[in-house]
Amino acid sequence: MSTNSFGRLFTVTTWGESHGPALGATVDGCPPNIPLDASMLQKWLDKRKPGQNKYTTQRQEADEVEILSGVFEGKTTGTPIQLMIRNTDQRSKDYGDIMDKFRPGHADITYWQKYGIRDYRGGGRSSARETAARVAAGGVAREVLKALVPDLKITGYMVQMGADKIDREAIDLAQIEQNPFWTPDAAAADRWAEYLNGLRKSGNSVGAVIEVIASGAPAGLGAPVYAKIDTDIATAMMSINAVKGVEIGAGFGAAELTGEDNADEIFMGDDGLRYSSNHAGGILGGISTGQDLVCRFAVKPTSSILKTRKTVTKLGEETEIITKGRHDPCVGIRAVPVGEAMMACVILDHVLLHRGQVGKNQGKIG
Amino acid sequence: MSTNSFGRLFTVTTWGESHGPALGATVDGCPPNIPLDASMLQKWLDKRKPGQNKYTTQRQEADEVEILSGVFEGKTTGTPIQLMIRNTDQRSKDYGDIMDKFRPGHADITYWQKYGIRDYRGGGRSSARETAARVAAGGVAREVLKALVPDLKITGYMVQMGADKIDREAIDLAQIEQNPFWTPDAAAADRWAEYLNGLRKSGNSVGAVIEVIASGAPAGLGAPVYAKIDTDIATAMMSINAVKGVEIGAGFGAAELTGEDNADEIFMGDDGLRYSSNHAGGILGGISTGQDLVCRFAVKPTSSILKTRKTVTKLGEETEIITKGRHDPCVGIRAVPVGEAMMACVILDHVLLHRGQVGKNQGKIG
Amino acid sequence: MSTNSFGRLFTVTTWGESHGPALGATVDGCPPNIPLDASMLQKWLDKRKPGQNKYTTQRQEADEVEILSGVFEGKTTGTPIQLMIRNTDQRSKDYGDIMDKFRPGHADITYWQKYGIRDYRGGGRSSARETAARVAAGGVAREVLKALVPDLKITGYMVQMGADKIDREAIDLAQIEQNPFWTPDAAAADRWAEYLNGLRKSGNSVGAVIEVIASGAPAGLGAPVYAKIDTDIATAMMSINAVKGVEIGAGFGAAELTGEDNADEIFMGDDGLRYSSNHAGGILGGISTGQDLVCRFAVKPTSSILKTRKTVTKLGEETEIITKGRHDPCVGIRAVPVGEAMMACVILDHVLLHRGQVGKNQGKIG
Amino acid sequence: MSTNSFGRLFTVTTWGESHGPALGATVDGCPPNIPLDASMLQKWLDKRKPGQNKYTTQRQEADEVEILSGVFEGKTTGTPIQLMIRNTDQRSKDYGDIMDKFRPGHADITYWQKYGIRDYRGGGRSSARETAARVAAGGVAREVLKALVPDLKITGYMVQMGADKIDREAIDLAQIEQNPFWTPDAAAADRWAEYLNGLRKSGNSVGAVIEVIASGAPAGLGAPVYAKIDTDIATAMMSINAVKGVEIGAGFGAAELTGEDNADEIFMGDDGLRYSSNHAGGILGGISTGQDLVCRFAVKPTSSILKTRKTVTKLGEETEIITKGRHDPCVGIRAVPVGEAMMACVILDHVLLHRGQVGKNQGKIG
């Protein structure tokens, strides 16, 4: 039982700190004979990588992933896959002046209280750099899913920055790759660019909401009652740095509905069941229905900002702090590929678990 | 690895169906020499028990818990505690006419697809009756916490029914036990009573939002990065029937804040650290700060309603369904003690895990 | 992570003490739609049950198993199966005089040191009664294996009592059911009967060695490197009360062989591979070869005996002890069905794990 | 749940193949603030390292371990410790001629059947090179144990090569470091040197038995009933390559004893309990007594030998095979430090688990 592991049969254990020599993921439970090489993972890392535009941290990391084990002659062997990413731009000196002060909203104070060790060079283990390992592992999951669930498509995008939400009528998935915010609403992208530019210049930051959808997932995934697929999605997303909320389908909005309105009515479609709506987010009783799996998660604003905030030192003296360094004005942007990666891991894990425990779906309709 | 288990060192495995002979929880990892008898658990079960007022299902269940193992001469022995609750009011005939139809929004269709077995008598394993086992196990956790964290206080209450939220200025925790909705806002209780009465008569249902707070939890709980205490709270709450969203502290509201506004500034108080606010919900980097742990979860409306909804049969024929039987018009009400129980289990689990992995807190401030 | 759980996908959690109200097993991960009723489990419990002849404890336990969950209309549902066995013959007064003394070779002293609670009425949780729960769970595993691996046959028998081994040339499996020692060597059974009768009358006990063979297990079971099937068999057998050693195939004898002699040469037989011998016990690199899986385990003599032994009291006074009560002169006898049950659980667990992680065997020969 | 993980709170996940770029161990659950650097691990790796004398494989591996994470300024941080060892002497061409033949007694046939991938360059994941990762992880465990259980001393040594056992009367632990077999019996070392030299020249190999003792382990370690410390030791040792049997204390010898003779009588010594003997190997009911923990395991002869053996090809053709390459004539020799490392991991894991679940020992005697 590693507290740095995620997943039941497809198990990802991440390791590494923001300013250590390397970080990575030990991926176990990957089925054999799946084509895999580093370039297949690199494309996802490149998407998450910092320094790509002015809206993300200017830290320059190549984020090059090496596969150290578990692959032979271009195919997975069924044994653990070790993915390593060397840290290359650890400019620790940036952090010298905050060595003994705690940043409000940052994990440095709780890590200190718990462990009595403070890696003042950056977030240490609590840094968002850890999510690079998740994205690499998610890349492995995607390659396996290509073989096992060829129709599966996972799409993440930003639906809200600060208080400004996208217009759901204006969603055009083709837009996602066209703007630095991975948002399907081009008008929102324009507004956010201006807003974030202002925030960045003033040394402030802001939160965001990300939505991740998986279409093509089969019915039957999810193991009641503590391995429900919605529970596992919530676990996955909430474990990402800075995430403060997760919802499935109608989510908190479901609390406002009556049972009559919330019911997704069921019909026979041309190729199977058809539902009138998807308030359930594709999950009933913790098991997938075959509809789109839909989740959203809220990312708080980056806590490392150039604004003066009151805090204390290790010695218990009251003081003020400004956090210099290279930080994301909206860390939610880079959370998009992370959310996608986690969704891929959860779905693959449940595909394998379902196959192990149940074999294949047992009940037919019609 | 049981998919019906929850917790790392304090491990709860629930079992049982709504209309089988019994249900219960196997509780492992309970420290020895903790005073325990059935009455200590019964009081929590009585709080959750159906049929106590017109706003919950009229099913009559004594919900009497028996302790079958793990206790000797009134104290825990350190071995597994088996908690059993006999089902006594299984009026299966109520369900006869829905035997071959699927209820929109209900797990019967996904259980059928996955398992090919449909316990048409009720929700089977997906029924909210499973939460009785959680409440019993949570009762064990509370007794252990009394010994290990005497200052801990866990309080759950309803903060929203349908679209109607409580007035946060009007919160009076003493009110919680004074109304059938476990809400700290007396005026809201009056409004909800009227609203729910109308819904109930019309055979409809509605969702709700529950808040659970734990005060007195020590700093240092939570094991990065996949056993963060906020992650485990999210897992716990999302695994409860009908829950569609979970948030910590400012939650989805944090997405709307700037870093400057979201920062909980830190000061030295009379007896330790003091924070200007608690947007973090008592958790930074997945580790507790010592502030109140705050979470909220959204419960969807009960899917079994007297309203006519369109659906299909096992044979794939389109049809309509009205679900007779005895259901909760707002299942969120009874989710309050369940949320409290899950919070108790999560906190105890992390107290034990922290003690095992870290020993005791390592870093002092001041 | 329950320390009272065994298995990865087919997970058995046992609970209960020798003199509590009941004991049992929570079985999770059982595939759905497997025919199951209590009588299918009872036959195995009847085999293990005490008091059947003069060579086992005279405690009278009906050992009647009830299925409390996980079965609907005679078939498994895929949800947890709760198996409960009420204790009926708890003659606690027998134990009164050893209340404050520790029995040499018995767990009462270590349980006291660890937990500070001593269930002096019997072994409490350390009692061999716990194995009744294993046998019941093993019965579930056997029913599933009937469906998934129809050719599998598991056979356990005693191969040594005290220093007296069976004659391997004289093995006749048909003899196993013909004598109270479950041994395939009729002559050994006669010798042992006389020997054990003498021991029993003198209030002494003796150890034994049990062999369990599984034929018909497919090649490919076992997950390197910490879930090897031989490792899991060793774990399973060593976890049984009083077991002090486990070996696979040639076992300790393999240490004496040269590589040339130990090699099981490989040939093409009429229906697949054929091996010249089975020193490997059907397992290479932790993965099954398709040959018979062969293990043996050593059971120490019962520690509760009528012979006077020196010991201490809780107060630290040196004293002597004679353990009255109803004990097995050779607890190894009743370990035979327990070993079979554990083998069934291990094999099923690996069948499910293999299906989950690998799908089906990937490499063909010939 | 990684099948390449070992341990509950101190969790070691090994990864890597014999001829890949690197192998290593991800170590999670290490307490913070323990002094640690690579040199502390290197000394144990140097002990296991091949090519040190003519009795072990002539493969030249530096086996230099790098710490990639989890340590800051010379101390553990409480986060995962990544240990990496680069493979440097992968002379794959040695294996070319056995590319399509299976070695009798070797895992290549079962890996092929299961995974359909055969890393013909060496044993791949099944190679004994994997044990380097265990030794490195064991080194971490030893450093933690130094802090938590300062009196603990773990000693492994060879007690049998082929059929030739050491003379227990002649044991002199000081001899262990004086001969290439890590045996405490100098005369046996001389005999084995001659014997093994002959075997090596003839291209044959032989098995061995290793004993590992831990003195100074506290009473109370072990969590009944499936995390007994003897069970976990058996699991640990049986998971090592080529191990075919494990026993605790008197082990298989206990089967030959009567209850009267097997009882370890208990007395009050000058500084606590004193036992007349240690047939139990320091463990009663799965919990440590405070006596020496004693286990032995049997290692089969290396299967890769220069002797001609009959086998089949992937195509199913019968043929013969001679395995050239660089192999250990008695792989048991290098199993000594591996057994010690596993013992260290098991004990530390139980020290942490005990601390988590129980706090500290609860019952006093005297």
Side-chain angles (χ1 to χ4, degrees), chain D residues 288-331:
Chain D
S288 64
T289 63
Q291 290 180 275
D292 284 1
L293 300 175
V294 181
C295 81
R296 274 176 304 285
F297 57 92
V299 182
K300 71 174 186 180
T302 316
S303 59
S304 296
I305 50 176
L306 277 164
K307 298 290 187 181
T308 306
R309 301 277 75 193
K310 295 195 186 298
T311 189
V312 299
T313 66
K314 270 206 237 178
L315 298 173
E317 301 153 331
E318 295 194 343
T319 182
E320 293 188 334
I321 192 168
I322 291 180
T323 310
K324 289 166 194 160
R326 301 156 298 169
H327 301 290
D328 289 276
C330 179
V331 76

Side-chain angles (χ1 to χ4, degrees), chain B residues 244-267:
Chain B
K244 300 302 283 185
V246 185
E247 58 183 10
I248 302 292
F252 277 86
E256 307 196 3
L257 297 177
T258 64
E260 190 174 12
D261 294 336
N262 187 58
D264 302 316
E265 293 183 301
I266 317 173
F267 303 89

